[in-house]
């Protein structure tokens, strides 16, 4: 019996790792304006950089022996060993608690709430080290709970402090509301329309890009630049929604893509949220299938 349980747990770990890598591949296959994808690299990065990063990060993210903070730190270190740069800090920050929550084998969102509520100061300390290692563009100093200081609060408390200025931190503070409502909602709507890959992922990305100013752009270029990109994204989303078939929108999306990259604008947060949404969707289906299989 014990052996069977361990074998089942091992299969779930492998499924979680595979779901993470698949989510990263799905996001890279989608023509996301301003971000790296199979149609065009950008910002000094290529698709292969992100693929190597996903493969490197997956084992740490899905390691049940590690806490959420330890997964984040180990995944960032593995990424630097494989790619030599920060390609996926935001993705790791979002996907580590999702992976930990999936291991409970329950409803993913309910388990995530418990995972977030159980985050500790040790999780905060490890995550602070990971953020400093990744050194994301535009990282400034915070008045309280700065990542350069010793962690004096839990990771959830630190994220709540930053939630007003950073959409990834806001996910922690809100139980990942944007992932489970906006992201999964956009995926479901695209599937109802019968849109094939990669267009459901494009739908998710445009919902995030049009839904709020991208905090990566705001951090690096200021709130006005982020607001301008959001306005352009709303127009692009409207044109995208009104196409006869989504493939007809490719030229328009790539034109928007070149314009953003020529201006050095990278909506990285919107891309990170997109990966996390696809990952959450895949994890949800894995857990449903496991319950149905008894």
């Amino acid at each position: 019996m014990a052996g069977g349980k361990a074998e089942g747990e091992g299969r779930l770990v492998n499924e979680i790792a595979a779901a993470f890598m698949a989510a990263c591949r799905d996001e890279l296959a989608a023509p996301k304006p301003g971000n790296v994808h199979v149609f065009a690299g950008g910002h000094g990065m290529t698709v292969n950089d992100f693929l190597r990063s996903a493969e490197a990060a997956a084992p740490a993210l899905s390691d049940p022996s590690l806490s959420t903070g330890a997964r984040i730190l180990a995944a960032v270190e593995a990424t630097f060993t494989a790619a030599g740069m920060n390609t996926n800090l935001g993705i790791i920050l979002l996907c580590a608690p999702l992976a930990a929550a999936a291991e409970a084998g329950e409803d993913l969102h309910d388990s995530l709430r418990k995972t977030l509520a159980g985050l500790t100061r040790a999780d905060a300390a490890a995550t602070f080290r990971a953020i400093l290692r990744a050194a994301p563009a535009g990282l400034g100093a915070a008045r309280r709970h700065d990542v350069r200081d010793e962690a004096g609060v839990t990771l959830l408390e630190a994220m709540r402090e930053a939630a007003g200025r950073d959409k990834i931190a806001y996910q922690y503070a809100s139980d990942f509301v944007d992932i489970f409502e906006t992201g999964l909602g956009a995926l479901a709507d695209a599937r109802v329309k019968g849109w094939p890959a990669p267009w459901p992922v494009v739908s998710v990305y445009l919902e995030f890009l049009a839904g709020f100013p991208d905090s990566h752009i705001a951090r690096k270029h200021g709130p006005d630049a982020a607001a301008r990109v959001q306005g352009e994204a709303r127009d692009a989303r409207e044109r995208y929604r009104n196409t006869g078939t989504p493939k007809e929108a490719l030229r328009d999306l790539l034109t928007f893509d070149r314009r953003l990259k020529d201006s050095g604008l990278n909506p990285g947060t919107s891309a990170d949220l997109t990966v996390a949404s696809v990952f959450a969707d895949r994890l949800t289906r894995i857990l449903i299938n496991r319950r149905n299989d008894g």
Side-chain angles (χ1 to χ4, degrees), residues 227-270:
R228 286 196 302 273
V229 172
Q230 181 189 11
E232 289 188 64
R234 285 174 175 166
D235 294 338
R237 181 182 62 181
E238 187 66 20
R239 294 191 298 272
Y240 180 73
R241 286 173 172 175
N242 291 328
T243 56
T245 62
K247 190 173 182 179
E248 295 173 9
L250 180 59
R251 179 176 296 180
D252 183 55
L253 292 171
L254 294 181
T255 298
F256 187 17
D257 179 61
R258 285 191 296 273
R259 188 162 65 248
L260 290 175
K261 288 172 179 172
D262 287 346
S263 300
L265 298 170
N266 177 7
T269 301
S270 298

Side-chain angles (χ1 to χ4, degrees), residues 66-89:
L66 298 178
S67 69
T68 297
R71 295 180 200 220
I72 291 169
L73 179 57
V76 167
E77 293 288 2
T79 294
F80 268 85
T81 299
M85 68 180 83
N86 169 30
T87 51
N88 60 4
L89 174 63

Side-chain angles (χ1 to χ4, degrees), residues 37-256:
H37 47 75
V38 295
F39 297 89
H43 314 293
M45 296 177 286
T46 68
V47 165
N48 284 336
D49 293 326
F50 283 86
L51 290 174
R52 286 198 303 272
S53 299
E55 291 172 358
L61 286 177
S62 58
D63 186 343
S65 71
L66 298 178
S67 69
T68 297
R71 295 180 200 220
I72 291 169
L73 179 57
V76 167
E77 293 288 2
T79 294
F80 268 85
T81 299
M85 68 180 83
N86 169 30
T87 51
N88 60 4
L89 174 63
I91 292 171
I92 290 169
L93 289 171
L94 292 169
C95 290
L98 285 169
E103 290 162 8
E106 304 168 3
D107 175 83
L108 182 63
H109 206 179
D110 287 344
S111 294
L112 177 68
R113 293 186 183 97
K114 296 173 185 176
T115 297
L116 296 175
L119 294 172
T120 66
R121 288 190 181 187
D123 289 312
T127 301
F128 286 6
R129 288 174 58 195
I131 293 171
L132 288 175
R133 178 72 171 100
L139 178 64
R143 187 170 55 86
R144 296 200 309 162
H145 313 321
D146 190 276
V147 296
R148 299 169 185 82
D149 299 334
E150 182 179 351
V153 295
T154 70
L155 180 56
L156 180 58
E157 290 170 320
M159 290 295 190
R160 284 172 175 163
E161 181 76 16
R165 62 180 182 272
D166 184 90
K167 264 293 182 178
I168 291 175
Y170 177 75
Q171 302 315 308
Y172 280 72
S174 67
D175 294 328
F176 281 46
V177 64
D178 292 320
I179 303 300
F180 283 89
E181 292 186 5
T182 301
L184 295 188
L187 276 177
D189 289 346
R191 287 173 179 153
V192 167
K193 295 175 183 176
W195 288 0
W199 306 110
V201 178
V202 174
S203 297
V204 174
Y205 180 76
L206 289 178
E207 285 300 314
F208 286 132
L209 192 59
F212 50 80
D214 187 276
S215 52
H216 183 268
I217 293 177
R219 193 167 56 243
K220 191 173 180 181
H221 299 280
D224 290 344
R228 286 196 302 273
V229 172
Q230 181 189 11
E232 289 188 64
R234 285 174 175 166
D235 294 338
R237 181 182 62 181
E238 187 66 20
R239 294 191 298 272
Y240 180 73
R241 286 173 172 175
N242 291 328
T243 56
T245 62
K247 190 173 182 179
E248 295 173 9
L250 180 59
R251 179 176 296 180
D252 183 55
L253 292 171
L254 294 181
T255 298
F256 187 17

